[in-house]
Amino acid sequence: EGLDLNRDFIKAESPECRALLGVYRAIDPHLMLDLHTTNGSKHGYHLPSAPCLSPNQDPDLAAFATDVQLPEVRREVYANHLFRTFDYGNYSARRLEAGWRTFDHRPRFATNYYGLRNRLSVLSEAYSYQPFEVRVRATRAFLIENLRTAHRHTQTIAALCAKADARAKGLSEPRPLFPSSTGFAPGTPTAILTTDLERLELEGLGTRLRVKPGFKPKEMPAAVSFRPEVRTPLPKGWIVTGPTKRVPQDRAHHGIEFSSLTARKGMMVEVYEVMSFKRAPRPFQNHRPVTIKGPYVKQAMDVPLGALFVSAEQPLARLAAQLLEPLSEDSLTTW
């Protein structure tokens, strides 16, 4: 049907993605591992990986993932299994000065999405130019060491997740700020392991690429995280004045709390006035994604009966903001 399941976590159109969201709601794991393979540039790593890359993730959880969890996992994967790992990304052999760059911060991807639920997530990308047996063993080693690391830090992880929930509910400070105008954080000079590929003839199947033995380091900037230019305080909540049937379904899929107004109510609100509305020139995932721009305008409004109210003081406030904020770079409006 033209849907990439790992681009579906905001719009949740596929039954497979909706089923997985149901698992998240029912079990609510502290740690989610998303296991993939990747091709891309010619590098010397068995398994690149990444944490949640959304700048909308709770900052304490993000710091634990990048400063403690993944460095520890990568050390243990090499010490115990001799597999080389690094931050997921690619480089251009023609333009080394452009450096190594990771992929995307938007939560349409599973690992970025899951971080907005105030939990930890890790992307595993076994290198497809390695032999199949090596990919399987590297993925197994990475999985084992993630679980061992989580076990060593059980109390810390549980406490970080609980504190992130409390901040989102407005029970502790600092309150979440919503990021926008996001770009790459400056790259850090790094010795990236590079290699060469060879072509193998497979009888009846054509050719495939495989890593040649050996690798050599090449110095280049590594940009492996994102930084927003703007952070905006969350409102008290969001009002949807004319919800279609799809709107409450979307909230329910994600587990976001909402209520329906049982009477007309006058209140002061901020309305986002759309001054620019652009659709992408080409379809993506059966959509032409939308970008809107405009100002917030404060005004009195007679909010109608049946309007939906989504509070910004709930455990999934960061996810609610991602779905509903006009400034969001990957929202329901996008799709």
Side-chain angles (χ1 to χ4, degrees):
E1 296 178 358
L3 294 175
D4 182 329
L5 300 182
N6 199 30
R7 308 292 187 276
D8 197 34
F9 281 83
I10 291 296
K11 54 189 176 66
E13 291 178 315
S14 65
E16 294 88 347
C17 183
R18 291 196 295 270
L20 192 53
L21 294 179
V23 173
Y24 294 163
R25 296 195 308 271
I27 300 176
D28 192 22
H30 288 92
L31 170 64
M32 187 275 283
L33 301 172
D34 192 16
L35 310 181
H36 291 246
T37 57
T38 187
N39 49 14
S41 55
K42 298 182 284 187
H43 60 70
Y45 303 105
H46 296 96
L47 191 150
S49 61
C52 169
L53 295 174
S54 171
N56 191 17
Q57 186 184 25
D58 180 87
D60 288 354
L61 278 172
F64 176 82
T66 57
D67 298 342
V68 178
Q69 179 192 14
L70 272 178
E72 192 170 311
V73 168
R74 291 167 180 167
R75 286 196 304 270
E76 295 298 308
V77 166
Y78 186 76
N80 298 329
H81 312 274
L82 296 180
F83 291 120
R84 296 181 297 276
T85 61
F86 189 63
D87 289 282
Y88 179 53
N90 285 292
Y91 72 96
S92 169
R94 297 178 182 176
R95 296 181 61 245
L96 289 182
E97 71 278 2
W100 179 277
R101 287 196 163 195
T102 191
F103 65 114
D104 202 314
H105 64 89
R106 290 172 293 184
R108 62 189 63 175
F109 300 93
T111 46
N112 294 341
Y113 169 89
Y114 198 69
L116 303 190
R117 302 183 72 91
N118 298 329
R119 303 295 181 259
L120 292 169
S121 59
V122 177
L123 174 69
S124 165
E125 291 277 4
Y127 193 37
S128 64
Y129 299 141
Q130 294 283 352
F132 180 71
E133 179 194 353
V134 174
R135 298 201 301 270
V136 172
R137 289 195 291 113
T139 300
R140 179 179 182 274
F142 189 73
L143 175 62
I144 287 170
E145 298 305 340
N146 265 281
L147 297 178
R148 287 174 174 165
T149 297
H151 183 65
R152 285 191 292 270
H153 296 280
T154 293
Q155 292 182 345
T156 299
I157 291 172
L160 285 170
C161 292
K163 288 178 181 177
D165 284 347
R167 275 194 288 269
K169 289 190 287 188
L171 301 178
S172 65
E173 297 294 335
R175 290 284 293 129
L177 297 173
F178 188 72
S180 58
S181 302
T182 303
F184 279 101
T188 302
T190 306
I192 299 294
L193 303 184
T194 66
T195 188
D196 291 313
L197 305 177
E198 59 184 356
R199 291 188 176 273
L200 294 179
E201 293 290 336
L202 302 176
E203 187 175 351
L205 296 173
T207 62
R208 68 153 293 176
L209 295 174
R210 189 174 72 178
V211 171
K212 285 184 176 181
F215 56 85
K216 56 184 177 181
K218 290 186 178 179
E219 188 84 11
M220 63 183 80
V224 298
S225 63
F226 294 89
R227 188 168 67 188
E229 293 182 10
V230 179
R231 290 189 182 272
T232 308
L234 293 188
K236 285 287 186 181
W238 300 270
I239 296 170
V240 184
T241 55
T244 64
K245 290 182 179 179
R246 176 71 192 268
V247 173
Q249 290 175 356
D250 284 329
R251 310 298 178 276
H253 288 321
H254 295 286
I256 291 171
E257 300 166 6
F258 64 92
S259 58
S260 182
L261 270 66
T262 57
R264 299 177 71 89
K265 187 175 182 180
M267 59 180 73
M268 290 297 297
V269 298
E270 286 185 318
V271 175
Y272 193 80
E273 291 199 343
V274 178
M275 306 298 289
S276 169
F277 181 97
K278 293 183 179 179
R279 288 192 184 275
R282 295 180 181 178
F284 177 72
Q285 303 290 295
N286 299 333
H287 294 262
R288 288 171 57 201
V290 166
T291 303
I292 60 173
K293 291 183 179 179
Y296 282 103
V297 178
K298 187 171 287 189
Q299 64 183 63
M301 176 180 282
D302 191 16
V303 181
L305 170 70
L308 296 186
F309 177 71
V310 181
S311 172
E313 295 183 342
Q314 60 171 296
L316 296 181
R318 293 180 182 276
L319 179 56
Q322 192 75 48
L323 294 171
L324 295 171
E325 266 296 319
L327 297 174
S328 173
E329 294 158 328
D330 198 16
S331 70
L332 294 175
T333 299
T334 303
W335 300 103

